Amino acid sequence: MTTTLLLENVTCAGCVKKIEKGINGLPDVDQAAVDFPQRRLNVEGRISGDSLIEALAEIGYRGRLASNEAEDRARQKAQQAAQYKGYIRNTLLALGVGIPLMIAGMLMDDMSIRSQQDQLVWGVVGLLTLGILLFPGRHFFSGAWNALLHGSANMDSLIALGTGAAWLFSTAVVLFPEMLPEGSRHLYYEASAMIIGLVNFGLAMEIRARGKTSEAVERLLNLQPKTARVIRNEKEVDLPLELVETGDLLRIRPGEQIPVDAIVEEGSSLIDESMLSGEPLPVSKAVGDSVSAGTLNKSGTLVVKAEKVGSETALSRIIEMVKQAQASKPEISRMADTVAGIFVPVVILCSIVTALIWYLLGPEPQLAYMLVTAMTVLIIACPCALGLATPMSVMVGVGKAAEYGILIRNGQALQSASQLDTLVLDKTGTITEGSPRVTDLSGTHPQLLQLTASLESVSEHPLAEAIVRYADEQKVSLSPVDNFQAHSGRGASGQVDGKAVSLGNSAWMTEQNVDFSAFENKAQELAEQAKTPVYIAIDGQIAGLIAIADPIRKDSVAAIDRLKSMGIKVVMITGDNQHTAAAVARQVGVDNFIAGVMPEDKAKEIEKLQQGGGHVAMCGDGINDAPALARADVGFAIGNGTDVAIESADMVLIRNSLHSVADAIELSRATLSNIRQNLFGAFIYNTLGIPVAAGILFPFTGLLLSPVIAGAAMAFSSVTVVSNANRLRLFKPSSAK
């Protein structure tokens, strides 16, 4: 069971690490993960929501249970809008005091105490600045105090320590100037006000940028209409969507979005499925066809019968999958999480060490230098940038993938897909359309088609469906079947009209001691034309041969060529014989193929490729592909495949095209590149920023970093990370350019 809490007072990556450590330590929790950008805590286990809220409070954080998705989103947007306005107000108030003070210091006053008049003037300024700390800066001090009560420190602790120390020192100078050396009587009120203003402005910009990253889920949620026109008792009535039940008849008028997954009962129309599949062209739908929630009815009026409603619809499952993937963490984020978890205490220690070095070894005025450097170290360090570096990129990348009909199940799949060098493609339903049809029939028995189709009528194999469909087209009546047996990867057998009928490949014929040499040359000829030959034996004697071909998808050749140009080695795997496999491989441009593979052996072939040192992906659509999809480094399931294949895969491709595989790999590479840029920027910022703030350049240049500049840098470091992540929103796969 998964429980989601909406978090209220999480300020930085240090908070994330503390929450995850505390909640994961509870006895009934299997796994807990914080979605930092969305301020959500997702917990798997048997623990109740109330117990989670209590445990969260014990470690110093507030949370409430997530309820209705739409209501939570609306409340979160309203809360973010209020926070944004609050931060902007705080910015204006703080900078309204800080900027004039800074200008005055630059033009008219060196901000030091020389007389009683200076004490009086600066005492008033001190009270005004205290107001800035208590009102625009209040949330920093309350957050720091709350963290201290629970034995920890966070970003608020750094801001509160830095600005508080500057104000206290300045006030001590105003009240007791004679107790300090004349060179140490400089005031830092403007630094306190400027830092409060700049950090508030940075938080406002972060909220604004962060809101853009959730647009993908917002768009998906907006695809769900609020009401549906339901036909009950021969009357049409508009009902709230949550009151629609399975089996209800719904009328869908032109221009309306389809509210549930359904089957068309009356009418025909063109349906725009681009919002789910990324496929731009509308799809024609008529009686008996299925339609999905969230798609748009373009032309005619339809009456549909609801099949899946509420959380069972494909759209709801997509939304849930996108949310889970956005909240998940790829392996690359572990280093950042580890560093962020200990970052604030380390920064405070660095600040103390800096102060001691300047006090003991620094030049006069030592107190002034000590305060400036210690404060600057505290202010410049920003664990937020480090904590946002990975989740922001993952959030945007997963959302962008959903726009192109690619559903990514977790963040690790996103990272793994960027490292792929080998792609294994199942032939049937992946390279081909998966709708085979009979092309040739030859034999000696007068009832050959009738007996063959009768036997296959109880089989679920795709080739069997083609034979039965062909018999129906030829208006051949079918007979009952007794003792039917399917022989995986070989064929089928049973009794039809008192005759023992058996059909399958050459291995199956050999196993039954059937001499099929009379049709062997014909079978080889058909196989070289990419047709699958199926031998038919009646009462132990070869009776004929039927050939079935599965048309190659119209864009498979272009997609495979694109994958190869990306440096991906493409391998086709199939249960078909060597000749058929070679013919298909030749047509689509695949240089490597593995033929005659039993369904249960596909995973072993994937393992062999992995043992050769490759990062191997598998793309398939059937139940027999599920083990291979699970074994691969990344499993791609074609969207119209079985639920088992989809559940086994790391990525689900709603659009039935191999171009989606190439799109997914391109997007994964772009996302990982973006994450690396963010992490590099965050690490470099802190690696260089803290030593510079501590004064490492002073012996060579005589310059110290101003606390105000440190505050500005700290404020905009997070904004830079979020803005860089948002660049992914401009991503377009090469197929769409």
Side-chain angles (χ1 to χ4, degrees):
M1 182 180 76
T2 301
T3 305
T4 300
L5 294 185
L6 305 179
L7 303 172
E8 295 180 11
N9 59 329
V10 174
T11 60
C12 67
C15 301
V16 171
K17 196 69 176 175
K18 184 179 178 185
I19 291 171
E20 289 182 344
K21 183 178 179 181
I23 301 302
N24 277 314
L26 298 176
D28 291 328
V29 171
D30 297 327
Q31 185 178 16
V34 173
D35 177 359
F36 184 37
Q38 293 296 303
R39 303 304 197 261
R40 288 172 176 252
L41 170 63
N42 300 304
V43 181
E44 294 179 16
R46 301 183 305 278
I47 192 168
S48 68
D50 291 338
S51 298
L52 277 175
I53 292 172
E54 289 177 13
L56 202 59
E58 287 178 8
I59 54 177
Y61 297 94
R62 298 186 301 275
R64 57 182 174 80
L65 279 171
S67 52
N68 179 275
E69 178 66 29
E71 291 177 5
D72 286 339
R73 286 270 168 188
R75 188 184 290 113
Q76 187 178 43
K77 287 180 74 173
Q79 187 179 38
Q80 286 182 342
Q83 283 181 323
Y84 177 76
K85 288 181 180 178
Y87 288 142
I88 292 295
R89 183 188 65 245
N90 292 343
T91 299
L92 295 175
L93 287 172
L95 295 184
V97 172
I99 290 175
L101 283 175
M102 190 168 67
I103 292 172
M106 292 167 62
L107 299 180
M108 296 176 291
D109 198 309
D110 64 356
M111 294 188 183
S112 60
I113 300 295
R114 296 191 185 89
S115 64
Q116 288 186 342
Q117 186 180 357
D118 287 343
Q119 283 182 279
L120 182 62
V121 171
W122 286 107
V124 173
V125 172
L127 290 174
L128 191 60
T129 312
L130 179 62
I132 297 299
L133 298 184
L134 293 179
F135 294 100
R138 181 177 181 177
H139 57 96
F140 297 121
F141 287 88
S142 61
W145 178 249
N146 183 60
L148 181 62
L149 289 177
H150 292 87
S152 65
N154 56 20
M155 186 194 78
D156 290 339
S157 306
L158 302 179
I159 305 300
L161 279 171
T163 57
W167 187 87
L168 287 171
F169 179 84
S170 300
T171 303
V173 171
V174 171
L175 295 176
F176 314 106
E178 67 282 352
M179 295 182 65
L180 296 165
E182 190 172 339
S184 299
R185 295 175 187 175
H186 191 82
L187 304 173
Y188 299 97
Y189 287 132
E190 98 289 356
S192 293
M194 288 294 294
I195 289 164
I196 293 293
L198 289 169
V199 176
N200 270 295
F201 183 67
L203 290 171
M205 292 301 99
E206 182 190 323
I207 282 181
R208 188 172 181 179
R210 196 151 38 91
K212 295 178 182 178
T213 62
S214 60
E215 285 182 358
V217 172
E218 291 286 347
R219 279 196 291 269
L220 289 171
L221 286 168
N222 290 336
L223 294 178
Q224 297 176 311
K226 301 291 186 290
T227 61
R229 173 152 289 209
V230 182
I231 304 172
R232 287 182 181 170
N233 301 321
E234 299 183 354
K235 291 183 179 180
E236 295 184 12
V237 57
D238 288 326
L239 293 177
L241 191 58
E242 55 267 23
L243 297 182
V244 177
E245 299 175 357
T246 303
D248 278 342
L249 292 177
L250 286 71
R251 185 173 297 279
I252 314 295
R253 292 165 292 191
E256 291 183 336
Q257 285 175 317
I258 296 169
V260 297
D261 290 357
I263 299 293
V264 178
E265 295 285 313
E266 295 178 21
S268 61
S269 182
L270 290 174
I271 303 297
D272 181 358
E273 298 181 337
S274 61
M275 60 285 295
L276 293 182
S277 66
E279 185 62 58
L281 297 177
V283 180
S284 177
K285 299 287 184 178
V287 174
D289 290 333
S290 60
V291 291
S292 298
T295 55
L296 182 67
N297 183 23
K298 297 283 287 184
S299 52
T301 297
L302 299 175
V303 174
V304 301
K305 184 177 182 180
E307 286 228 310
K308 293 180 179 178
V309 300
S311 62
E312 296 178 352
T313 65
L315 177 60
S316 295
R317 290 171 64 194
I318 288 170
I319 292 171
E320 189 58 33
M321 194 180 292
V322 170
K323 282 164 50 186
Q324 288 177 359
Q326 287 182 330
S328 65
K329 297 180 181 181
E331 189 176 315
I332 196 172
S333 70
R334 292 178 187 170
M335 177 179 60
D337 285 350
T338 301
V339 173
I342 61 172
F343 191 78
V344 174
V346 169
V347 170
I348 293 173
L349 182 61
C350 288
S351 177
I352 294 170
V353 171
T354 299
L356 288 172
I357 291 173
W358 277 94
Y359 183 73
L360 296 174
L361 304 175
E364 292 288 346
Q366 290 148 315
L367 283 176
Y369 283 132
M370 178 186 79
L371 178 68
V372 169
T373 52
M375 177 171 56
T376 307
V377 168
L378 288 171
I379 297 302
I380 201 168
C382 181
C384 284
L386 206 54
L388 287 167
T390 300
M392 293 303 290
S393 298
V394 169
M395 194 171 177
V396 179
V398 168
K400 197 68 186 175
E403 290 182 23
Y404 287 99
I406 303 161
L407 302 183
I408 300 173
R409 298 180 69 87
N410 56 70
Q412 183 54 40
L414 199 63
Q415 178 174 344
S416 298
S418 72
Q419 302 164 340
L420 294 174
D421 51 37
T422 305
L423 174 65
V424 178
L425 299 174
D426 178 53
K427 179 180 77 70
T428 305
T430 303
I431 293 176
T432 65
E433 291 181 1
S435 300
R437 57 175 180 263
V438 173
T439 59
D440 300 85
L441 177 66
S442 55
T444 57
H445 199 286
Q447 296 175 286
L448 185 65
L449 180 58
Q450 191 263 338
L451 293 173
T452 303
S454 296
L455 178 67
E456 292 287 58
S457 66
V458 294
S459 172
E460 296 180 353
H461 196 282
L463 299 185
E465 294 178 15
I467 294 171
V468 173
R469 188 165 57 249
Y470 179 72
D472 184 57
E473 291 168 358
Q474 301 299 317
K475 295 183 170 42
V476 172
S477 59
L478 305 182
S479 301
V481 180
D482 296 318
N483 301 324
F484 175 81
Q485 285 186 303
H487 308 277
S488 180
R490 291 168 292 171
S493 61
Q495 296 284 328
V496 181
D497 292 339
K499 296 179 174 62
V501 182
S502 181
L503 57 87
N505 56 25
S506 57
W508 179 231
M509 293 295 113
T510 301
E511 193 174 324
Q512 296 179 98
N513 298 317
V514 174
D515 180 9
F516 56 91
S517 57
F519 291 95
E520 199 167 6
N521 289 336
K522 179 66 174 176
Q524 186 172 343
E525 180 186 326
L526 292 168
E528 289 172 355
Q529 299 170 23
K531 298 175 182 179
T532 301
V534 178
Y535 295 102
I536 306 159
I538 299 174
D539 291 330
Q541 300 295 317
I542 192 70
L545 183 71
I546 191 167
I548 301 162
D550 185 5
I552 292 169
R553 292 187 188 276
K554 59 184 179 181
D555 58 0
S556 287
V557 175
I560 289 170
D561 184 59
R562 181 179 162 207
L563 286 161
K564 288 164 68 177
S565 71
M566 293 165 60
I568 305 292
K569 176 185 175 184
V570 181
V571 179
M572 184 183 77
I573 192 167
T574 178
D576 277 344
N577 61 56
Q578 191 79 8
H579 292 295
T580 303
V584 173
R586 189 168 54 251
Q587 288 182 37
V588 299
V590 172
D591 300 322
N592 305 281
F593 64 89
I594 307 170
V597 180
M598 303 291 280
E600 61 269 23
D601 292 331
K602 287 184 178 180
K604 294 178 182 176
E605 295 296 337
I606 297 290
E607 191 172 359
K608 286 180 185 176
L609 291 168
Q610 288 172 326
Q611 288 171 351
H615 291 90
V616 183
M618 168 73 186
C619 183
D621 73 324
I623 290 175
N624 60 3
D625 296 324
L629 289 169
R631 183 69 187 84
D633 295 299
V634 180
F636 295 96
I638 293 288
N640 66 350
T642 65
D643 286 343
V644 175
I646 290 172
E647 289 302 318
S648 303
D650 300 295
M651 297 192 187
V652 180
L653 312 175
I654 299 177
R655 185 159 57 112
N656 299 317
S657 168
L658 287 178
H659 275 299
S660 288
V661 180
D663 291 348
I665 295 172
E666 279 187 4
L667 180 58
S668 296
R669 289 176 176 178
T671 303
L672 262 291
S673 175
N674 193 272
I675 289 173
R676 291 188 186 101
Q677 291 165 7
N678 283 345
L679 287 174
F680 178 78
F683 275 118
I684 289 297
Y685 167 80
N686 285 298
T687 303
L688 296 180
I690 291 176
V692 171
I696 196 171
L697 299 179
F698 183 82
F700 311 104
T701 64
L703 296 176
L704 285 178
L705 188 66
S706 164
V708 174
I709 294 175
M714 181 268 189
F716 286 100
S717 61
S718 295
V719 177
T720 302
V721 165
V722 177
S723 300
N724 188 53
N726 271 310
R727 284 194 313 109
L728 279 172
R729 296 167 63 242
L730 304 176
F731 170 85
K732 281 188 178 180
S734 57
S735 61
K737 292 177 182 176

